[in-house]
Amino acid sequence: MADIDNKDRILLSALQQNARLSNAALAEQASLSDTPCLRRVKKLQQDGVILGYHADISPPAVGYSVLVYAFIRLTKNSVQAAESFENHVDALRQVRSCSVVSGSHDYLLEIIAEDLPSYEYFVKHSLASLEFIAAVESTIVLKQTFNKRGVPL
């Protein structure tokens, strides 16, 4: 765990809200001068606290109207099967996240699709065709009430 003080938390909170803030604006929010502010941000990046910067794009605005959580069970619980599965789904652009879970399933995938027929095609051709997959159990999201992407600081 990185050594994070109150100034770092202020910087991280500000960047979570708006990663496009200039260094001068960021420094002002944390009551720092520009150079120490930049130094702190670079250290947070080097320490792996800041993982990257990106634009938060609305899936429906670019044609993805379906959100699905798919529970995956593998045929065998081996390192080779897990690595093969993880490498395969990492390459699928519709898969937004992949988590190893406990219980009766092995993985939970967050998947976006243009519509239900395209999701069905995706499952049959991109997921179920893998030899290590025993079962795919899908839950279609009817309405997402909110999606918090940041980390509480």
Side-chain angles (χ1 to χ4, degrees):
M1 189 165 120
D3 187 26
I4 298 173
D5 64 15
N6 193 47
K7 295 280 187 193
D8 291 334
R9 289 183 188 284
I10 292 168
L11 295 171
L12 292 169
S13 182
L15 287 170
Q16 275 191 148
Q17 294 299 311
N18 181 2
R20 296 183 67 180
L21 280 175
S22 69
N23 186 58
L26 195 56
E28 184 179 325
Q29 285 194 28
S31 300
L32 293 167
S33 59
D34 290 0
T35 302
C37 178
L38 187 58
R39 198 175 309 128
R40 280 176 177 262
V41 171
K42 285 187 181 206
K43 183 164 180 3
L44 291 166
Q45 292 169 341
Q46 290 169 349
D47 290 348
V49 177
I50 296 174
L51 299 176
Y53 300 90
H54 67 276
D56 194 10
I57 297 168
S58 165
V62 293
Y64 294 99
S65 62
V66 174
L67 174 60
V68 179
Y69 292 102
F71 292 94
I72 309 295
R73 192 170 343 108
L74 300 182
T75 55
K76 52 185 162 181
N77 204 352
S78 70
V79 172
Q80 180 189 10
E83 286 178 355
S84 293
F85 174 76
E86 290 169 15
N87 289 334
H88 180 77
V89 298
D90 186 36
L92 301 173
R93 62 188 185 95
Q94 298 96 324
V95 178
R96 294 178 56 172
S97 69
C98 174
S99 302
V100 176
V101 295
S102 65
S104 60
H105 299 94
D106 298 308
Y107 290 92
L108 174 62
L109 302 180
E110 180 183 2
I111 302 166
I112 55 174
E114 292 146 356
D115 50 31
L116 289 176
S118 68
Y119 177 68
E120 178 187 13
Y121 183 89
F122 173 81
V123 169
K124 289 179 179 175
H125 293 88
S126 297
L127 283 182
S129 63
L130 284 175
E131 64 182 80
F132 293 127
I133 293 185
V136 177
E137 186 178 314
S138 301
T139 299
I140 308 293
V141 175
L142 300 177
K143 175 184 172 186
Q144 190 171 49
T145 56
F146 63 86
N147 183 353
K148 294 181 180 178
R149 291 284 182 196
V151 176
L153 294 168

